[in-house]
Amino acid sequence: AEVKKVAAKSVAKLASVRLAAGAGEKMTQAILEEVLGMPLEWKVCSEKLAEAVKPLLEGSQAAGSHLALLRKAAAAGAGTGPLTEAIATKELKTLNLASRETAAEILTVLVDAGVLLREACASLREPVLSRLALRDLVRLSARLAEHRPSDDNLRAAIDARIKPAVMGLELSKVPAADLLLLAEAAQKSAMVEETALDAVAGAASLSAEHWPPADLVKLCALLARSKAC
């Protein structure tokens, strides 16, 4: 088994080197999707592939055209950063035209992959901000806050759509798990604690009967530890 593992690693490295050397050849989406399914050493060839894929990403294309490719690049493993960023940059440029579902999917993939997080926060403005479902915005805000706990663009998005008292009823319809995720983010982000924790507490008070008891206990503990409530 160990011999097979070593052999497989050697073949993967050789394939990665060969792929990097030939990355200048015309790249199609089908070829790239097939390549992304291979167990390659991405640190060896990702930068070359990022350059090779640029012609594929050029031109006017509908928002989400490369979402499947972005998902595959993000899931391919460590070392795909340059390639994932190249595809993500293209999708971010068309985000203003994306449907609420597509916009949420693109931003979620970026958070999952840990790439272009500053740009993801910056994209949380109109027209994208009001188009996102509140549940998606709550979840994205929580996850982005873990990586960018004091981001000004993220603060502005929370101030606009989560913090206002008039959003309380709509916020109460967001699943408990997502609201709890945002409350937990407040432990790492003073900005979230300041802007969102009161809103989460208010929403929970309106929908407490629908919350799992264990989640209510967790939320109460988080609120008790907070200096903002």
Side-chain angles (χ1 to χ4, degrees):
E2 187 62 31
V3 173
K4 286 184 179 180
K5 189 182 295 185
V6 172
K9 189 172 182 179
S10 297
V11 170
K13 186 169 184 178
L14 178 60
S16 301
V17 171
R18 293 287 299 273
L19 185 60
E25 298 177 12
K26 185 176 180 181
M27 183 67 65
T28 66
Q29 182 150 335
I31 292 174
L32 188 55
E33 286 186 11
E34 186 175 347
V35 167
L36 287 169
M38 299 176 182
L40 300 175
E41 290 200 9
W42 295 106
K43 290 182 180 179
V44 175
C45 59
S46 185
E47 288 188 9
K48 290 288 187 179
L49 283 174
E51 288 296 319
V53 82
K54 284 182 179 179
L56 176 64
L57 303 176
E58 289 176 354
S60 178
Q61 295 162 329
S65 295
H66 303 294
L67 183 53
L69 200 57
L70 179 59
R71 285 198 204 97
K72 284 200 169 188
T80 60
L83 178 58
T84 303
E85 286 186 15
I87 302 167
T89 297
K90 173 62 177 180
E91 287 297 350
L92 281 174
K93 287 179 180 178
T94 61
L95 198 66
N96 286 353
L97 303 175
S99 67
R100 66 162 48 184
E101 293 83 6
T102 298
E105 283 188 68
I106 291 169
L107 292 172
T108 298
V109 174
L110 297 193
V111 177
D112 287 344
V115 300
L116 302 184
L117 297 177
R118 180 177 67 83
E119 291 80 358
C121 289
S123 72
L124 295 177
R125 59 178 187 269
E126 297 303 338
V128 175
L129 181 59
S130 59
R131 190 177 298 149
L132 286 171
L134 190 56
R135 173 181 181 172
D136 290 329
L137 179 61
V138 166
R139 190 187 306 115
L140 284 166
S141 296
R143 297 191 61 200
L144 284 167
E146 292 180 11
H147 302 283
R148 298 188 60 80
S150 57
D151 191 283
D152 288 338
N153 288 302
L154 184 55
R155 173 189 287 272
I158 293 173
D159 278 342
R161 285 206 59 199
I162 295 175
K163 183 180 180 179
V166 294
M167 296 298 297
L169 183 58
E170 186 178 352
L171 196 62
S172 71
K173 298 174 184 176
V174 171
D178 296 320
L179 290 173
L180 185 60
L181 192 65
L182 187 58
E184 288 171 342
Q187 299 296 293
K188 299 179 181 179
S189 168
M191 178 271 290
V192 171
E193 183 179 27
E194 175 189 335
T195 59
L197 203 54
D198 274 344
V200 171
S205 70
L206 293 174
S207 59
E209 62 187 82
H210 303 297
W211 277 57
D215 286 350
L216 271 179
V217 171
K218 288 179 183 177
L219 179 62
C220 288
L222 291 169
L223 295 175
R225 289 198 294 268
S226 173
K227 296 177 181 179
C229 293

